[in-house]
Amino acid sequence: MSFHSPTRRGFLIGTGAVGLSSLWNTTAMASIDPNSFTDRVFHATHWGPLEAVVRDGKIVSVSPMIELDARPTEMLSLGVVDRVYSKTRIDYPMVRKSYLAGWESGDTKPALRGKEEYVRVDWDTAMNLFSKAILDTIDKGGNEAIFSSSYGGWSNAGTFRPNVMQGRFFNLIGGNSQTVGDWSAGAGQIVLPHVIGDMEVYSAQTAWEVIRDNTEVFLLVGADPIKNNRIEYRVADHGMYAHWEDIRDAGVKFISINPQRTASDEFLNADWIKIVPNTDTALFLAMAYHVMEKGLDDKDYMAKYTVGSDKWIAYVKGESDGVAKTPAWAAEITGMDEAQIKELAELLATSKAQIAGSWAIQRAQHGEMAYWAIANFAALCGKIGKPGEGIGYSWHYGNGGMPQGGNSTPAGLGQGRNPVKTICPASRITEMLENPGMAFKHNGHEYVYPDIKMIVNAGNNFMSHQQDTTRLVRALAKVDSVVSVDVWWTAATRWADIVLPASSTLERDDVTSGGTYSNDKVYAMKKVIEPLGEAKSDYEIFEAMADKMGVWAQFTDSLEYMDHVKAAYAKSSAAAETPFEEFWEKGYARMPVPDVARKWNRHGAFYDDPDGSPLHTVSGKIEMFCDTIAKLELEDCPGMPTWIEKHEYLRNAKEGQVHVVSPHPWFRIHSQMDQSENLQALYKVQGREPVRINAEDAAARGIADGDLVEIYNDRGACIAGAVLSDEIMPGVISIYEGAWPSVDSKGRCNSGLVNFVTSTQRSSGLSNATSANTCLASIKKCEDADGPNMAYEKPPILEEFAYAEVDEDKMGLDRIEGVAERLMADMTPDERLFYERCTVCHAPREPSHYTKLQWKGILPSMFERAGLEEAEMATVEAFLMERAADAH
């Protein structure tokens, strides 16, 4: 492998971590009793910062950092240690039995994924098979035949996340097909830039002081900030909780529109208004009708700040389609009382009102319409941009409402430029696998699904995320190789051919920040214990793969890992005040939040000066009717928010069917921590995921509290534990997403993974996003469960199994030479700035994925986090403007 820059043949995957100076082994001693046991190590997680107490090389407990996190959760105190030592850990490299037996002949029997035993192998064998699979795939279909399912990056809070390490490696050897958009807010992040010039779903919210001092009514539309702010993409500090209390106690009236009463409703003393799931659009249309009928609409505001209001108003009044969207019309659809709709409309129109739309309501068929209808209603009433009024679509995430620090955050190794441009919307993986070569549209642009032969998955549980799990399992049978890099035996590893054991974050060093919007802290994620079993960090795993492929120097920049950690910290604002050594010793560094941030009002600059601070829409204004979308001529996403009946919801349900909603869990991040026995004891019912059922619905079906129930439809079935309640409306059941699956003898999930019944129906042709909350199913008492839930047991493993040596000489690694040589040309300075500094969470990874205006909408927050100088910002902006979707 001497055809280009030197490799590191001395680096073998079995050699362990590189040598570190004594600095890395020091112990943070922040805020602990001086008389207490001293062997404590600072670390930070999605669930909060902590000090781990270590005895004899083992974590015995964790202590929350009260000065950094005033309201720690049970996930931190009970779950963190529990899952580190969980029996679900992957202890060493594994290969599916038939895949190992047939690696040379090609007879690997992919239909047996998820059914047969795994064989314990050494690291060299696993790496050789991984390398061969990559090169075989490139030979067969090019790099586009390799698909990365590692979207999102939620697997840990660090800067050196698994998906980043995977992306960096593959981009050095030719790239791969990848996802576009995401699971959280796939519909909203596409439609809102057209409507209001910003993604909105990942944008800062009005500062809480402005809400406290100005807002009179705060409307939660499916939003549950008290639950969802228990966790964070980076490190949770629960900083907004006390301020929600301040807002409540200041006399702000909270109203919650939701099929079920939530924790936030209880916490904020909210009035609960029941609504049929997926009908929010009809509600806001009807409220708009009533506002106009009462003469409460703000015509001057619309004339100054919006375009297209006349077309939308004509639709609302029924002038364009013959159907007036009256409160009586909406009452039939939403299940709400006509008088209640009128009362709510008048209250919002005549009060200083803030409307919070949740991500949940856009995870539905035509989910774009719900978000747009909220924006149009607020514009109709003249709300958007006024202090404490208007709309926000991220109040329930990232401590929305905390003032923005405006600080740059740590920036580690970038993924670099991906030469492969084929994409798949995050929720359409099954469709892609079933239909190679099929044309589809995304955000108005045409693409073709690649013909995937290999899936690589690092730190992501896509098998639990995707809808209609049984259909996905069938679709996987056409894929030659599935490789998963993970810490635990999740669903994504149980259907893999090659499984590589990654270390948990507590078994490696990293650096991160706190506060998605506040950006006011930087945290050291210090290595607490040595990796368990034969686990390696994701950096080490992909460093070793880069070594095999001859691109080690490019992957590492020929630097030791801790040099990268130090460099990442140096890019944060904290480095200007706190030297790295001091930061690392203490475990954290604070960054300032300017006083002016406490007066910041979302869309306030646009309201104050619409000509000087226009929105990043085509018109520069709020687009109540959008010509850009209308010209796409999409049947399921017209050019303005309209009511379109869902393919399945309560108004077209068969007898006995219920609407299934699947919100984010209370005790997990999606599927993370589902295996924690300590947490399971707090909420699981007979070892299964709980399902909330209205007491009347349960009685009609002979279901008692604590019974096992079967939820089923034509797509599949799952078994859950009944929790009876009067605080969920009849005809609706609620089961948290993210349970680990266990398939029983009848093909049902014996653990309660709701995606065995959810649909792969897209949101619309605009976004191709998930519609997980558009789901009908039947429910009955389960009398025939296949014994206990086995989701948290290891799959069958053969510790000793005779197989032919998988020798590196037989892998044909020299095949990479032709691929790698074409990629070694250095990126230009502008490319390097973008691909290594600016491709942050939730931002598009390719310039062509967004238009010029859409890029301009996201640049301010992207630049802030990247910490670029003014000249660097100008360079990146010019680079994007030259390569945006509408640049040519």
Side-chain angles (χ1 to χ4, degrees):
M1 290 257 170
S2 59
F3 54 88
H4 52 73
S5 44
T7 67
R8 190 185 178 192
R9 272 294 143 207
F11 180 91
L12 299 174
I13 194 65
T15 60
V18 296
L20 307 177
S21 75
S22 60
L23 170 66
W24 318 135
N25 296 319
T26 58
T27 300
M29 297 296 292
S31 70
I32 64 169
D33 176 3
N35 292 344
S36 70
F37 181 69
T38 58
D39 201 356
R40 296 168 178 251
V41 184
F42 188 96
H43 194 75
T45 71
H46 288 310
W47 303 278
L50 59 88
E51 280 188 327
V53 179
V54 181
R55 295 181 187 269
D56 300 323
K58 185 173 181 177
I59 306 170
V60 295
S61 67
V62 298
S63 300
M65 306 297 291
I66 301 301
E67 75 271 35
L68 300 173
D69 179 4
R71 303 195 181 184
T73 72
E74 306 91 338
M75 289 178 282
L76 184 75
S77 58
L78 298 179
V80 168
V81 178
D82 204 19
R83 75 175 194 152
V84 167
Y85 296 109
S86 168
K87 61 185 177 183
T88 62
R89 284 290 299 254
I90 302 168
D91 302 308
Y92 27 70
M94 300 281 187
V95 181
R96 186 171 57 82
K97 178 182 175 182
S98 293
Y99 191 89
L100 182 61
W103 72 267
E104 206 162 5
S105 67
D107 182 20
T108 58
K109 299 179 174 55
L112 294 180
R113 288 192 190 106
K115 299 177 182 177
E116 70 173 341
E117 307 97 327
Y118 284 90
V119 178
R120 177 181 180 176
V121 299
D122 57 60
W123 270 105
D124 276 342
T125 294
M127 289 296 195
N128 285 338
L129 289 173
F130 190 3
S131 302
K132 182 178 185 298
I134 292 170
L135 295 171
D136 287 350
T137 303
I138 294 173
D139 283 349
K140 184 180 292 188
N143 281 72
E144 73 174 37
I146 304 170
F147 180 71
S148 169
S149 58
S150 305
Y151 49 78
W154 270 90
S155 58
N156 71 62
T159 298
F160 298 86
R161 289 181 169 90
N163 62 312
V164 176
M165 299 299 97
Q166 176 190 329
R168 184 174 178 85
F169 164 69
F170 273 101
N171 289 344
L172 285 170
I173 63 168
N176 51 251
S177 297
Q178 61 183 353
T179 57
V180 65
D182 64 32
W183 213 261
S184 298
Q189 67 186 233
I190 297 299
V191 71
L192 288 175
H194 292 287
V195 174
I196 203 164
D198 190 286
M199 272 185 165
E200 297 290 328
V201 292
Y202 304 125
S203 301
Q205 305 300 283
T206 297
W208 72 267
E209 291 96 328
V210 177
I211 297 294
R212 179 198 61 192
D213 297 340
N214 294 276
T215 305
E216 295 171 334
V217 176
F218 199 115
L219 180 67
L220 301 164
V221 188
D224 192 359
I226 299 305
K227 179 192 68 181
N228 290 341
N229 274 302
R230 284 163 60 85
I231 54 92
E232 250 270 24
Y233 181 73
R234 292 186 179 90
V235 179
D237 62 12
H238 310 105
M240 187 62 188
Y241 278 17
H243 303 319
W244 282 118
E245 291 172 329
D246 291 336
I247 293 168
R248 177 198 66 198
D249 295 345
V252 175
K253 179 181 180 62
F254 284 89
I255 301 172
S256 174
I257 300 174
N258 204 307
Q260 60 181 325
R261 185 165 170 79
T262 69
S264 297
D265 300 346
E266 180 73 23
F267 190 91
L268 299 170
N269 295 330
D271 292 341
W272 173 39
I273 298 176
K274 305 180 186 71
I275 188 171
V276 169
N278 290 191
T279 64
D280 305 277
T281 301
L283 169 63
F284 280 90
L285 292 172
M287 289 199 298
Y289 182 96
H290 187 68
V291 163
M292 288 186 286
E293 190 175 56
K294 286 290 185 178
L296 300 174
D297 50 319
D298 192 332
K299 296 179 179 62
D300 291 340
Y301 181 98
M302 287 187 284
K304 186 175 182 179
Y305 297 101
T306 78
V307 296
S309 61
D310 55 338
K311 293 181 180 179
W312 185 66
I313 288 171
Y315 167 75
V316 172
K317 290 183 176 180
E319 295 169 1
S320 58
D321 67 349
V323 179
K325 313 308 178 294
T326 66
W329 166 85
E332 291 295 316
I333 297 170
T334 63
M336 292 171 59
D337 183 76
E338 178 184 358
Q340 191 177 43
I341 295 173
K342 292 178 178 179
E343 180 183 1
L344 181 61
E346 292 179 30
L347 176 64
L348 294 173
T350 58
S351 304
K352 294 179 179 179
Q354 174 75 202
I355 304 175
S358 72
W359 294 351
I361 62 171
Q362 56 85 63
R363 293 192 197 113
Q365 191 177 15
H366 319 122
E368 297 87 352
M369 298 292 98
Y371 267 17
W372 202 346
I374 291 172
N376 274 17
F377 175 80
L380 179 81
C381 298
K383 302 290 185 186
I384 297 175
K386 294 180 179 178
E389 300 189 62
I391 56 174
Y393 299 95
S394 196
W395 280 105
H396 61 286
Y397 168 71
N399 276 335
M402 291 294 285
Q404 304 166 71
N407 299 297
S408 57
T409 56
L413 291 169
Q415 295 189 45
R417 174 184 54 200
N418 184 358
V420 174
K421 305 305 178 188
T422 46
I423 62 168
C424 174
S427 69
R428 312 306 294 160
I429 292 177
T430 300
E431 181 178 82
M432 173 190 69
L433 296 177
E434 292 175 338
N435 301 282
M438 187 180 88
F440 69 97
K441 290 184 178 181
H442 178 75
N443 199 14
H445 306 293
E446 293 190 0
Y447 300 92
V448 173
Y449 283 134
D451 188 4
I452 299 302
K453 302 299 180 185
M454 180 181 189
I455 294 176
V456 183
N457 186 78
N460 182 284
N461 195 3
F462 80 104
M463 290 295 295
S464 279
H465 298 171
Q466 298 287 317
Q467 270 69 70
D468 198 345
T469 308
T470 303
R471 182 178 164 196
L472 173 60
V473 170
R474 290 195 302 266
L476 280 177
K478 73 165 289 290
V479 178
D480 295 338
S481 300
V482 180
V483 179
S484 194
V485 180
D486 211 320
V487 188
W488 298 278
W489 283 106
T490 67
T493 52
R494 290 173 187 270
W495 272 277
D497 300 310
I498 301 170
V499 179
L500 303 179
S503 57
S504 73
T505 69
L506 283 89
E507 298 155 40
R508 61 177 80 167
D509 290 306
D510 208 333
V511 62
T512 189
S513 59
T516 293
Y517 302 131
S518 57
N519 283 332
D520 59 354
K521 304 178 193 73
V522 178
Y523 294 108
M525 295 175 63
K526 302 178 71 171
K527 183 178 182 180
V528 176
I529 56 172
E530 292 302 314
L532 301 186
E534 295 181 8
K536 304 293 178 186
S537 72
D538 300 276
Y539 179 91
E540 291 174 302
I541 291 169
F542 286 106
E543 180 187 11
M545 286 297 296
D547 196 29
K548 278 191 175 293
M549 295 291 187
V551 291
W552 175 85
Q554 289 80 6
F555 182 88
T556 64
D557 285 341
S558 300
L559 297 173
E560 300 288 5
Y561 174 74
M562 286 307 301
D563 292 325
H564 291 299
V565 173
K566 189 172 183 178
Y569 174 76
K571 294 172 185 173
S572 73
S573 298
E577 300 294 330
T578 307
F580 179 77
E581 291 74 13
E582 179 183 335
F583 154 73
W584 195 262
E585 173 69 21
K586 187 175 184 180
Y588 65 93
R590 296 183 185 272
M591 297 185 288
V593 176
D595 288 339
V596 67
R598 302 183 183 281
K599 302 299 182 183
W600 188 79
N601 185 51
R602 179 140 202 85
H603 306 118
F606 167 67
Y607 177 72
D608 292 339
D609 184 8
D611 295 322
S613 299
L615 300 177
H616 296 295
T617 58
V618 172
S619 64
K621 298 182 178 183
I622 301 164
E623 303 219 348
M624 298 177 75
F625 179 96
C626 179
D627 282 322
T628 303
I629 294 177
K631 289 176 181 176
L632 298 177
E633 298 182 342
L634 300 169
E635 291 184 4
D636 53 5
C637 189
M640 59 184 174
T642 63
W643 165 250
I644 310 172
E645 191 170 36
K646 318 306 171 190
H647 76 288
E648 52 183 86
Y649 79 125
L650 282 179
R651 294 300 176 235
N652 56 26
K654 298 176 183 177
E655 184 177 355
Q657 284 188 318
V658 293
H659 195 115
V660 184
V661 295
S662 46
H664 187 280
W666 180 267
F667 288 107
R668 301 194 298 267
I669 297 179
H670 304 306
S671 65
Q672 292 186 54
M673 285 202 178
D674 190 43
Q675 80 274 47
S676 167
E677 293 183 1
N678 286 331
L679 293 174
Q680 287 175 9
L682 298 179
Y683 71 100
K684 294 286 186 178
V685 179
Q686 295 194 47
R688 276 81 169 183
E689 191 67 16
V691 57
R692 198 181 194 189
I693 311 170
N694 179 272
E696 292 180 11
D697 287 338
R701 293 164 175 80
I703 297 170
D705 194 67
D707 280 348
L708 290 183
V709 297
E710 181 177 342
I711 306 164
Y712 61 97
N713 56 24
D714 292 341
R715 292 181 287 270
C718 65
I719 298 171
V723 177
L724 274 56
S725 174
D726 292 324
E727 295 191 334
I728 185 169
M729 64 184 293
V732 179
I733 64 173
S734 175
I735 179 169
Y736 290 138
E737 50 88 9
W740 288 18
S742 177
V743 182
D744 72 7
S745 61
K746 301 174 182 64
R748 305 171 299 186
C749 179
N750 196 24
S751 183
L753 175 57
V754 70
N755 280 333
F756 273 71
V757 298
T758 54
S759 167
T760 55
Q761 170 70 44
R762 68 186 184 184
S763 174
S764 80
L766 180 70
S767 66
N768 281 285
T770 182
S771 63
N773 283 320
T774 301
C775 177
L776 291 176
S778 299
I779 184 169
K780 64 182 181 181
K781 185 174 180 179
C782 180
E783 307 278 10
D784 60 345
D786 269 10
N789 176 16
M790 302 298 289
Y792 315 110
E793 302 295 329
K794 293 181 188 290
I797 295 171
L798 302 176
E799 294 278 354
E800 297 182 7
F801 179 78
Y803 57 89
E805 182 183 3
V806 183
D807 195 315
E808 184 174 298
D809 293 338
K810 299 179 182 180
M811 300 296 103
L813 296 186
D814 56 341
R815 290 179 287 170
I816 196 61
E817 181 171 351
V819 175
E821 283 184 325
R822 294 195 300 269
L823 300 167
M824 288 303 107
D826 290 338
M827 287 187 286
T828 60
D830 52 0
E831 286 178 310
R832 187 173 294 278
L833 276 171
F834 173 70
Y835 287 112
E836 295 191 357
R837 298 282 296 279
C838 298
T839 48
V840 297
C841 165
H842 303 306
R845 287 164 286 189
E846 287 300 323
S848 62
H849 289 175
Y850 257 30
T851 65
K852 293 178 183 179
L853 282 169
Q854 288 170 331
W855 272 117
K856 287 181 178 180
I858 198 173
L859 287 180
S861 61
M862 188 176 81
F863 284 158
E864 178 182 292
R865 288 172 172 80
L868 300 184
E869 301 291 338
E870 189 171 337
E872 293 174 322
M873 294 180 195
T875 297
V876 171
E877 183 169 359
F879 169 77
L880 293 171
M881 294 305 104
E882 291 172 3
R883 293 162 176 80
D886 56 349
H888 303 292

